[in-house]
Amino acid sequence: MSEHSWIQELLQIGGKEGQFSEKQLKILEAAVEMFAEKGYAATSTSEIAKKAGVAEGTIFRHYKTKKDLLLAIVTPTLFQSVAPFLAKEFVREVFDNEYETYEQFLRAVFSNRYAFVKKYLPAIRVLWQELAFHSEIKQCFQRVFTEHVYPKFARIVRHFQEKGELAELPVDSVIRLTITSLASFLAARFLLLPDHHWDDEAEMERTIHVLMNGLRR
Amino acid sequence: MSEHSWIQELLQIGGKEGQFSEKQLKILEAAVEMFAEKGYAATSTSEIAKKAGVAEGTIFRHYKTKKDLLLAIVTPTLFQSVAPFLAKEFVREVFDNEYETYEQFLRAVFSNRYAFVKKYLPAIRVLWQELAFHSEIKQCFQRVFTEHVYPKFARIVRHFQEKGELAELPVDSVIRLTITSLASFLAARFLLLPDHHWDDEAEMERTIHVLMNGLRR
Amino acid sequence: MSEHSWIQELLQIGGKEGQFSEKQLKILEAAVEMFAEKGYAATSTSEIAKKAGVAEGTIFRHYKTKKDLLLAIVTPTLFQSVAPFLAKEFVREVFDNEYETYEQFLRAVFSNRYAFVKKYLPAIRVLWQELAFHSEIKQCFQRVFTEHVYPKFARIVRHFQEKGELAELPVDSVIRLTITSLASFLAARFLLLPDHHWDDEAEMERTIHVLMNGLRR
Amino acid sequence: MSEHSWIQELLQIGGKEGQFSEKQLKILEAAVEMFAEKGYAATSTSEIAKKAGVAEGTIFRHYKTKKDLLLAIVTPTLFQSVAPFLAKEFVREVFDNEYETYEQFLRAVFSNRYAFVKKYLPAIRVLWQELAFHSEIKQCFQRVFTEHVYPKFARIVRHFQEKGELAELPVDSVIRLTITSLASFLAARFLLLPDHHWDDEAEMERTIHVLMNGLRR
DNA sequence: GATGAATGAGAGTTCATTCAT
DNA sequence: CATGAATGAACTCTCATTCAT
């Protein structure tokens, strides 16, 4: 019934239902939009309340502080951003030859994350923007990356290097080049020049093509 | 005598000397550092004044509003960021065969911008972070890019495509891939993982190498 | 079954039983403790609710306002504080030679009120502290005193002056000296220096002794 | 020129002049009056500002928090309350036979403290009322008492016991009885029944008389 | 009767900005 | 020019109270 389902989907970790009341969703939705537009520090709780159609006090009933509200948005977004790498079956899929080539793997990751960013753009904006200012978020990001994303990514890269598809560049560099190719395409596409005319399919294909040409043995 | 020469160098457009008084430089330096650390909106003018060792009123003697202070930092930084492309002789240098290949050109641009970012990191941080929140800055950025950087960059790319070095990809895509390769290397190096151990020379070389492999005919 | 019997005893005027439900007693007990510790104005109803283990709404079901809750505690405490003087048979006891001397009378009053304060300390604290801030309480106190306590006390003092035990000091002064001797002993003992080592019996005896030496003919 | 001289006199420790600006004195005066009337917790800073005729922000320019404002009033008042006992020459005066009897000494202390309380009544009210709620104040009070007031008082009492004027009661009890006699007279006179008709001279004389009769050998 | 989510007025505090000195 | 006290609007957050369940 609720129109806020996208927020609910994004923030619901573990798939429990009924986790958020109608008012809470309105608050979260309003907060995400305003934080994305003006930044956390420049957004007042009274603006959020007004936009959400609730009393200001209601916000603080659900989130003890304004910062808690930010974290309630940003933390799940952070985890969802790297969700594929957190899934238990993810690496097995790769090694079970679900993807025969790194290029196939890339294509899957790119289109999956493209869809993710497109769907949850405001929340990702907030995460990205506030990362710079809040050390808790930054540390959380770094921990998730080094403990979960990096090791799995590294195994995958080595796998395809052993198979002879990828050149013997340092694994770290391959990972960095891959991630920044994806991230910077998405940043350009959605953050920097969202109004530019984009042929998404073609541009993504070109990005992968150029990257693979560079990484291939 | 002043220790603030880096700020002075960055902000001084057109090379006039003595443009800034000692106090003004202290204010600017303090502002850059605090804005970079906590963000514009989360930094108070009283903090800046304290850090700069001046009275609060002094800030407003030089900059009518807090926002003016931000713009005084961000606008010159923005122009300096793309300074090579603004220089009159820049394109001519390329066509006069100063750079025989796109790769040479790339290498020059990369190392030049690498040095620039390294030197003026805090100011660039501020520019980058506030770009998202202030439409004036964003518009200024877009105007400079479309009016100055893009046309020159496009001519250069076409030049090397005609010389047969670069593949016949769409010019826009080549530009985008080039810029994001550079920008995302610098972002990873200086913003995201500044504490990671980096072999800058090698990593930059690899980045160029991979990019060229991808772009080459 | 209830552990709150002391509150019940204190607040129950006229001896009706079953006057308070279990939840109500919990609320009253929590309120007394918090008011005593932090003061009425600095205690929030939500704190009381939490400490009492009831919902916030429940408090307002029993007491229309927070102030009503205070008065529900303070008014009975006020009456109990001077209860002996309110008892019908009290003066008759004195004149029926139950106490042959003012000193005996004093001794009875002192030990009785000592026990009372010791038992109901938190409630008395609240009464004492809020007396200063709430004119209703102050007026109530003054009315009770002038209408009930003072006249009876005066008759008693005159009685022992006529019997020749007490010097012919002004009755008001005798009353004041007696009450403040008692009150300030109890205040020192229980409020100001509760952690000091006290030999209660001896100190009370000394207080009475000194007071009687002063008052005696 | 200022009409706030009484506040200035009370709060000025060490006699430095020009310590407080005009606005600051207005704030302090308004705060003392309101705290005395309604209590610290029930007084809002906006009320104080209005009464003082300054902007609310001005209060926080001088006192970082509301509590700091309270302490700025209460701490000096606490020290002034026991000032005679803090004076270096105080004990010497006693032993140099400035006071030949404890009664003379008492008379001097009583009239001195009577004048003090009368002059600074509102501040003393605040001190007295908030003592119960703020452990910092309570601890400060206890430290000052045990370290300065008590030892000097004890020497004086022993001095007059040795001279044979005072009975051999425990020193602590003599001190307690003396202080509570004074304090409770002042409390009754100024706090509890300020509107009652008092013959101050006579009542003080009676209090001393009764006390001395009790304490004398 | 009991609950607790919701409220909105008002709390203490911060802040960009002004202006007399 | 530089200062910093003063401002008052706006901020985050708390609270007594209400009311649908």
Side-chain angles (χ1 to χ4, degrees):
Chain A
M1 221 44 26
S2 155
E3 306 175 23
H4 315 284
S5 48
W6 76 269
I7 281 273
Q8 209 160 357
E9 277 178 42
L10 174 62
L11 303 189
Q12 206 145 241
I13 296 180
K16 305 160 219 156
E17 273 179 50
Q19 209 174 163
F20 300 102
S21 73
E22 189 64 21
K23 299 237 164 191
Q24 218 169 337
L25 287 171
K26 276 189 193 160
I27 291 167
L28 288 164
E29 197 189 20
V32 171
E33 277 174 37
M34 305 235 56
F35 289 165
E37 193 186 320
K38 314 175 49 176
Y40 167 77
T43 303
S44 73
T45 49
S46 80
E47 283 174 293
I48 296 172
K50 196 182 289 174
K51 180 157 200 172
V54 303
E56 207 172 345
T58 307
I59 293 175
F60 291 93
R61 175 155 287 279
H62 291 288
Y63 303 96
K64 258 163 68 96
T65 65
K66 189 188 169 194
K67 187 137 199 181
D68 282 353
L69 175 56
L70 173 66
L71 293 179
I73 290 166
V74 145
T75 310
T77 305
L78 169 50
F79 280 93
Q80 296 278 29
S81 295
V82 296
F85 287 85
L86 302 181
K88 286 194 175 127
E89 60 280 15
F90 178 64
V91 175
R92 205 178 334 117
E93 281 174 6
V94 176
F95 285 84
D96 287 358
N97 291 322
E98 189 149 336
Y99 308 108
E100 280 179 35
T101 61
Y102 191 69
E103 190 166 351
Q104 274 180 24
F105 164 75
L106 269 192
R107 209 163 267 127
V109 171
F110 267 57
S111 70
N112 177 285
R113 292 298 85 189
Y114 168 85
F116 172 76
V117 170
K118 189 166 193 174
K119 187 167 182 189
Y120 300 122
L121 188 55
I124 290 156
R125 261 195 137 98
V126 176
L127 167 61
W128 193 247
Q129 283 158 2
E130 301 305 327
L131 204 52
F133 302 136
H134 308 266
S135 55
E136 324 93 281
I137 305 179
K138 200 167 185 175
Q139 279 162 23
C140 180
F141 175 79
Q142 287 176 342
R143 226 189 44 244
V144 170
F145 184 82
T146 49
E147 287 178 19
H148 296 96
V149 179
Y150 177 80
K152 289 180 183 171
F153 215 138
R155 284 182 60 196
I156 291 168
V157 168
R158 268 186 241 106
H159 174 70
F160 288 109
Q161 283 183 329
E162 281 158 22
K163 280 183 86 172
E165 185 190 3
L166 297 179
E168 294 293 335
L169 290 161
V171 171
D172 285 13
S173 298
V174 176
I175 293 175
R176 203 216 90 218
L177 286 161
T178 303
I179 290 177
T180 61
S181 289
L182 171 55
S184 63
F185 163 64
L186 294 172
R189 169 67 184 83
F190 291 111
L191 303 179
L192 236 49
L193 302 163
D195 304 325
H196 186 277
H197 170 73
W198 289 86
D199 180 346
D200 292 339
E201 287 288 322
E203 194 63 21
M204 213 145 70
E205 196 48 53
R206 252 173 246 131
T207 307
I208 291 171
H209 179 77
V210 167
L211 177 63
M212 282 310 303
N213 260 12
L215 296 180
R216 219 168 341 241
R217 169 181 297 261
Chain B
M1 218 43 26
S2 156
E3 305 174 24
H4 314 285
S5 48
W6 74 269
I7 280 274
Q8 210 161 357
E9 278 177 41
L10 174 63
L11 303 188
Q12 205 145 239
I13 296 179
K16 306 161 218 156
E17 273 180 50
Q19 211 176 158
F20 299 104
S21 74
E22 188 64 21
K23 297 230 164 194
Q24 220 168 335
L25 287 171
K26 275 190 191 157
I27 290 168
L28 288 163
E29 197 189 21
V32 170
E33 276 173 40
M34 304 235 55
F35 289 165
E37 194 187 320
K38 314 176 47 177
Y40 167 76
T43 303
S44 73
T45 49
S46 79
E47 282 174 294
I48 297 171
K50 193 184 290 175
K51 181 157 200 171
V54 303
E56 270 203 78
T58 308
I59 293 175
F60 290 90
R61 182 151 295 282
H62 292 286
Y63 304 96
K64 253 167 58 115
T65 66
K66 188 188 171 192
K67 188 138 202 179
D68 283 353
L69 175 56
L70 174 65
L71 293 178
I73 290 165
V74 145
T75 310
T77 305
L78 170 50
F79 281 94
Q80 297 277 30
S81 295
V82 296
F85 288 86
L86 301 181
K88 286 195 174 124
E89 59 281 14
F90 178 63
V91 176
R92 205 180 331 119
E93 280 174 5
V94 174
F95 286 87
D96 288 357
N97 291 322
E98 188 151 335
Y99 308 109
E100 280 178 38
T101 61
Y102 190 71
E103 190 167 351
Q104 275 181 24
F105 165 74
L106 268 193
R107 208 162 267 123
V109 171
F110 266 57
S111 71
N112 176 285
R113 292 298 84 188
Y114 168 85
F116 172 75
V117 170
K118 190 167 194 173
K119 188 168 182 187
Y120 301 121
L121 187 56
I124 289 156
R125 262 195 134 98
V126 176
L127 167 62
W128 191 246
Q129 282 159 0
E130 300 306 327
L131 203 52
F133 303 136
H134 307 268
S135 55
E136 324 93 280
I137 305 178
K138 200 167 186 176
Q139 278 162 25
C140 180
F141 175 79
Q142 287 175 342
R143 226 186 46 245
V144 170
F145 184 82
T146 48
E147 289 177 17
H148 297 95
V149 179
Y150 177 80
K152 289 179 183 171
F153 213 139
R155 284 182 61 196
I156 292 167
V157 167
R158 267 188 242 106
H159 174 70
F160 287 109
Q161 282 183 329
E162 281 157 21
K163 279 185 87 172
E165 186 190 5
L166 297 180
E168 294 294 336
L169 290 162
V171 172
D172 285 12
S173 298
V174 176
I175 294 175
R176 203 217 89 217
L177 286 161
T178 304
I179 292 177
T180 59
S181 288
L182 171 54
S184 62
F185 163 65
L186 294 173
R189 170 64 184 83
F190 291 111
L191 303 180
L192 235 49
L193 301 164
D195 304 324
H196 186 277
H197 170 74
W198 290 86
D199 180 346
D200 291 339
E201 287 288 323
E203 194 62 23
M204 212 144 71
E205 195 49 53
R206 250 174 247 131
T207 307
I208 292 171
H209 179 76
V210 167
L211 177 63
M212 283 311 302
N213 260 14
L215 296 179
R216 219 168 343 239
R217 170 181 296 260
Chain C
M1 216 50 21
S2 157
E3 305 176 24
H4 315 283
S5 47
W6 75 270
I7 281 274
Q8 211 161 356
E9 277 178 44
L10 175 62
L11 303 188
Q12 207 145 238
I13 295 180
K16 305 160 218 159
E17 272 179 51
Q19 208 173 163
F20 300 104
S21 72
E22 188 63 21
K23 299 232 163 194
Q24 220 169 336
L25 287 171
K26 276 189 191 159
I27 291 167
L28 287 163
E29 197 189 22
V32 170
E33 277 174 39
M34 305 236 55
F35 288 164
E37 194 186 321
K38 313 174 51 176
Y40 167 76
T43 303
S44 72
T45 50
S46 79
E47 282 173 294
I48 296 171
K50 193 184 290 175
K51 181 157 200 173
V54 304
E56 271 202 77
T58 307
I59 292 175
F60 291 90
R61 183 151 294 282
H62 291 286
Y63 304 95
K64 253 165 61 115
T65 66
K66 188 187 170 193
K67 187 137 202 181
D68 284 352
L69 175 56
L70 174 66
L71 293 178
I73 290 165
V74 145
T75 310
T77 305
L78 170 49
F79 281 94
Q80 298 277 30
S81 295
V82 294
F85 287 84
L86 301 181
K88 288 198 174 121
E89 61 280 15
F90 179 63
V91 176
R92 204 177 335 117
E93 281 173 6
V94 175
F95 285 86
D96 288 358
N97 291 321
E98 187 150 338
Y99 308 109
E100 280 179 36
T101 61
Y102 191 70
E103 189 166 351
Q104 275 180 24
F105 164 74
L106 268 192
R107 209 163 266 125
V109 170
F110 266 57
S111 72
N112 177 286
R113 292 297 86 189
Y114 169 85
F116 171 75
V117 170
K118 189 166 194 174
K119 187 167 183 188
Y120 300 121
L121 188 54
I124 289 156
R125 261 195 137 98
V126 176
L127 167 62
W128 191 248
Q129 282 158 0
E130 301 305 328
L131 203 52
F133 303 137
H134 308 266
S135 53
E136 324 93 281
I137 304 178
K138 200 166 185 177
Q139 278 162 26
C140 181
F141 175 79
Q142 287 176 342
R143 226 189 44 245
V144 170
F145 184 82
T146 48
E147 289 178 18
H148 296 95
V149 178
Y150 178 80
K152 289 179 184 173
F153 213 139
R155 285 183 61 197
I156 292 167
V157 168
R158 267 186 242 108
H159 174 71
F160 288 110
Q161 284 183 330
E162 282 157 20
K163 280 184 85 172
E165 185 188 6
L166 296 181
E168 293 294 335
L169 289 162
V171 173
D172 286 12
S173 298
V174 176
I175 293 175
R176 203 216 89 217
L177 286 161
T178 304
I179 292 177
T180 61
S181 287
L182 172 54
S184 63
F185 163 64
L186 294 173
R189 169 65 183 84
F190 290 111
L191 302 180
L192 237 48
L193 301 164
D195 304 325
H196 186 276
H197 171 74
W198 289 86
D199 180 345
D200 292 338
E201 287 289 322
E203 193 64 22
M204 213 143 71
E205 197 47 55
R206 252 173 245 131
T207 306
I208 292 170
H209 178 77
V210 167
L211 178 63
M212 282 310 302
N213 260 13
L215 295 179
R216 224 173 330 246
R217 170 181 297 260
Chain D
M1 223 38 31
S2 158
E3 306 175 23
H4 314 283
S5 47
W6 75 269
I7 280 273
Q8 209 161 357
E9 278 178 41
L10 174 62
L11 304 188
Q12 206 145 241
I13 296 179
K16 304 161 218 154
E17 273 180 50
Q19 209 175 162
F20 299 103
S21 72
E22 188 63 21
K23 299 236 163 192
Q24 219 169 336
L25 287 171
K26 276 189 192 159
I27 291 167
L28 288 163
E29 198 190 20
V32 170
E33 277 174 38
M34 304 235 55
F35 288 165
E37 193 187 320
K38 313 176 49 176
Y40 167 77
T43 302
S44 73
T45 50
S46 80
E47 283 174 293
I48 296 172
K50 196 181 289 174
K51 180 157 201 171
V54 302
E56 209 172 342
T58 307
I59 293 175
F60 291 92
R61 175 155 286 281
H62 292 288
Y63 304 96
K64 257 164 67 95
T65 66
K66 188 188 170 194
K67 186 136 200 183
D68 282 354
L69 175 56
L70 174 65
L71 293 178
I73 290 165
V74 145
T75 310
T77 305
L78 170 50
F79 281 94
Q80 298 277 30
S81 295
V82 295
F85 287 85
L86 301 181
K88 284 190 177 129
E89 60 280 15
F90 178 64
V91 176
R92 207 181 330 119
E93 281 174 6
V94 176
F95 285 85
D96 287 357
N97 291 321
E98 188 149 337
Y99 307 110
E100 280 179 38
T101 62
Y102 191 69
E103 189 166 352
Q104 275 181 23
F105 164 75
L106 268 193
R107 209 163 266 124
V109 171
F110 267 56
S111 72
N112 177 286
R113 291 299 84 191
Y114 168 84
F116 171 75
V117 170
K118 188 167 195 173
K119 187 167 182 189
Y120 300 122
L121 187 55
I124 289 155
R125 260 194 136 96
V126 176
L127 167 61
W128 192 247
Q129 282 159 0
E130 301 306 327
L131 204 50
F133 302 136
H134 308 267
S135 54
E136 324 94 279
I137 304 179
K138 200 165 185 176
Q139 279 162 25
C140 182
F141 175 78
Q142 287 176 343
R143 227 188 44 244
V144 170
F145 184 82
T146 48
E147 288 177 18
H148 297 95
V149 179
Y150 177 80
K152 289 179 183 172
F153 214 139
R155 284 182 60 196
I156 292 167
V157 169
R158 267 186 243 107
H159 174 70
F160 287 110
Q161 284 183 330
E162 281 158 22
K163 280 184 86 174
E165 184 189 5
L166 296 181
E168 294 294 336
L169 290 162
V171 172
D172 285 12
S173 297
V174 176
I175 293 175
R176 203 217 89 218
L177 285 161
T178 304
I179 291 177
T180 60
S181 288
L182 171 54
S184 63
F185 163 63
L186 294 172
R189 168 67 184 83
F190 291 112
L191 302 180
L192 236 48
L193 301 164
D195 305 324
H196 186 276
H197 169 74
W198 289 85
D199 179 347
D200 292 338
E201 288 288 324
E203 194 64 22
M204 213 144 70
E205 196 48 54
R206 253 174 247 130
T207 307
I208 292 170
H209 179 77
V210 168
L211 179 62
M212 282 310 303
N213 262 12
L215 295 180
R216 216 160 353 229
R217 170 181 298 261

